[in-house]
Amino acid sequence: MTDFVLHILKLNLIAGFIILLVKLLSGSLKSRFTAQWKYFVWFMISLILLVPVPCSGDFALFHIKTPVHTETLKNVQDVSHISAAPDTLADVSSGVLRETPERAGQHDSRPDGGLFSISYDTAAKIFLSVWLLGAVLRLSCEIFFYCRSLRRLQKMSIPVYQSFTIQAYTHVCRIKGIASPPSLMQNAGLSTPLLAGLFRPRLYLPAKGYTAEELRLIFHHELSHYIRRDLWYKMLLRLCAVIYWFNPFLFLMLKEAENDVENLCDAGVVRRCSSEEHRLYRRLLLKTAALQNRIPYTAASLNDNNMPFKDRILYMQNLRHLKRSLVPGIMVILLLITVNISFVFSTSADNTPASG
């Protein structure tokens, strides 16, 4: 158990280091590469944390063993083996060896024998209990709020009946090669279009007057989320952050990943449209960014106000100069795996029989 807890803590420390490293590198690489490499890094970090396979110590460059002292008290079976020293009192009837404060002080002076000291195994059990309790509570809250928000969204929505909206939606689905598209719904309580629902995704439109050109741009964006399985991607990252709730860097990763998801979908729209449609798309984003958008749990929207509008526009303007390469992401993940394999923490038992 102690080895497993040490492995979990090591993985989270390495993940925190990698997240900060990617955050620093993204500043210099954003003018050279698309956000695809970061998208890949966030996915691999979550996958490694959710499947924490222990590393073998055979390939480790640094095998750090933590000593665990376990004292063994001999059972007093033969009274004749106990010598009555002047500073020791033996209670023969109970079979317990009681010592005077002078001798007890000698044992307490050991590095691991203080009144308030606990073994590594006990500390591991306490950490594991607190960690699992917090994970179960947070996961329960996430499931509750997700189901409630999705139920409210479905309850207040109606199918779209406007013919020109359905025609635009069918046209975009045909272009993207989607045979079974999400159901198209309308919700008067929304201020931005969004895609929601893991198992039965639906595309929700606010009760606003969009032109046919704006609708096609909206459908291109939201259906890009659908094709990329971004709802499942965001759920995977959120699940990782909820399970390892004690690691604040995972919530930074979740925020960065949401921005990267929107950038990649914007890129999919811009590559297909003309310069005039590009200007129309920027105005559409600006119009939705000015609203107070309330996004349900694990939804992919046109604009959720998490990303500054200026950064989003600059990314689209520089898109033609950016390389779609995973090389930086692969190098970062190789670094993560190398550090994980190089450092192995384990416990070594040090059985010290009690003097008596």
Side-chain angles (χ1 to χ4, degrees):
M1 178 186 298
T2 306
D3 292 348
F4 175 73
V5 170
L6 290 174
H7 180 65
I8 290 297
L9 293 176
K10 181 193 71 171
L11 285 180
N12 279 271
L13 286 175
I14 297 174
F17 168 75
I18 294 298
I19 292 170
L20 290 179
L21 178 62
V22 172
K23 180 69 175 176
L24 293 175
L25 290 176
S26 60
S28 58
L29 296 180
K30 66 180 180 180
S31 58
R32 298 178 57 188
F33 299 96
T34 65
Q36 189 66 42
W37 71 274
K38 293 172 60 182
Y39 187 94
F40 171 72
V41 170
W42 306 141
F43 174 77
M44 292 302 299
I45 290 177
S46 301
L47 189 62
I48 291 173
L49 287 176
L50 291 176
V51 188
V53 179
C55 298
S56 174
D58 299 336
F59 305 98
L61 298 177
F62 303 95
H63 194 167
I64 303 173
K65 292 186 178 182
T66 305
V68 178
H69 299 281
T70 56
E71 296 188 354
T72 306
L73 183 63
K74 295 181 180 180
N75 293 327
V76 182
Q77 297 179 352
D78 191 357
V79 179
S80 62
H81 292 169
I82 302 177
S83 59
D87 57 346
T88 304
L89 296 177
D91 189 349
V92 180
S93 61
S94 60
V96 177
L97 184 64
R98 297 184 300 177
E99 299 180 348
T100 59
E102 291 79 4
R103 290 178 61 87
Q106 296 176 3
H107 290 287
D108 290 342
S109 64
R110 292 179 53 181
D112 61 332
L115 290 175
F116 301 101
S117 64
I118 59 175
S119 65
Y120 284 96
D121 188 59
T122 304
K125 290 180 181 178
I126 295 174
F127 171 79
L128 192 62
S129 300
V130 175
W131 169 35
L132 292 179
L133 179 61
V136 170
L137 291 177
R138 293 200 59 139
L139 186 60
S140 301
C141 292
E142 290 285 334
I143 294 175
F144 171 76
F145 287 118
Y146 170 74
C147 294
R148 188 182 68 171
S149 63
L150 191 61
R151 192 182 307 113
R152 289 180 176 178
L153 188 63
Q154 294 175 352
K155 184 179 180 180
M156 301 299 294
S157 302
I158 59 174
V160 174
Y161 295 108
Q162 292 88 349
S163 59
F164 77 95
T165 303
I166 297 176
Q167 290 176 0
Y169 187 57
T170 304
H171 176 70
V172 175
C173 289
R174 189 182 304 113
I175 292 176
K176 289 185 169 294
I178 303 175
S180 300
S183 301
L184 189 59
M185 310 294 290
Q186 189 176 54
N187 190 306
L190 295 177
S191 56
T192 179
L194 58 88
L195 183 73
L198 291 174
F199 298 100
R200 296 180 60 186
R202 297 178 179 179
L203 202 162
Y204 297 88
L205 294 175
K208 298 182 181 297
Y210 292 110
T211 64
E213 292 79 8
E214 289 177 333
L215 284 174
R216 283 195 292 269
L217 294 173
I218 289 172
F219 294 150
H220 272 294
H221 181 95
E222 296 304 323
L223 289 176
S224 295
H225 284 301
Y226 177 73
I227 294 174
R228 297 172 57 88
R229 302 290 190 270
D230 285 337
L231 292 179
W232 286 100
Y233 177 83
K234 295 172 71 172
M235 176 60 74
L236 178 71
L237 269 61
R238 181 175 289 274
L239 180 64
C240 182
V242 167
I243 291 178
Y244 297 103
W245 52 268
F246 56 86
N247 190 347
F249 296 104
L250 296 180
F251 294 94
L252 173 63
M253 179 187 74
L254 183 61
K255 181 179 179 180
E256 289 291 318
E258 290 177 349
N259 295 338
D260 295 334
V261 165
E262 294 304 320
N263 278 332
L264 291 174
C265 283
D266 288 340
V269 175
V270 171
R271 288 192 180 100
R272 290 180 173 270
C273 61
S274 62
S275 57
E276 180 62 29
E277 290 174 330
H278 190 182
R279 288 192 292 269
L280 178 61
Y281 185 65
R282 292 200 301 267
R283 290 197 296 268
L284 180 63
L285 292 178
L286 180 61
K287 183 168 61 175
T288 55
L291 303 174
Q292 295 296 325
N293 301 317
R294 296 181 179 181
I295 310 302
Y297 273 61
T298 321
S301 65
L302 183 66
N303 198 321
D304 55 8
N305 286 340
N306 283 333
M307 186 178 182
F309 179 74
K310 179 181 178 181
D311 295 342
R312 197 167 177 179
I313 296 300
L314 288 176
Y315 181 85
M316 287 187 291
Q317 289 179 345
N318 298 329
L319 187 61
R320 65 181 64 183
H321 306 293
L322 302 180
K323 298 179 181 179
R324 289 185 286 182
S325 176
L326 294 180
V327 173
I330 294 175
M331 294 178 63
V332 170
I333 294 303
L334 288 178
L335 175 63
L336 186 154
I337 296 174
T338 302
V339 176
N340 183 28
I341 296 177
S342 300
F343 291 87
V344 174
F345 293 85
S346 63
T347 56
S348 59
D350 183 15
N351 295 327
T352 306
S355 61

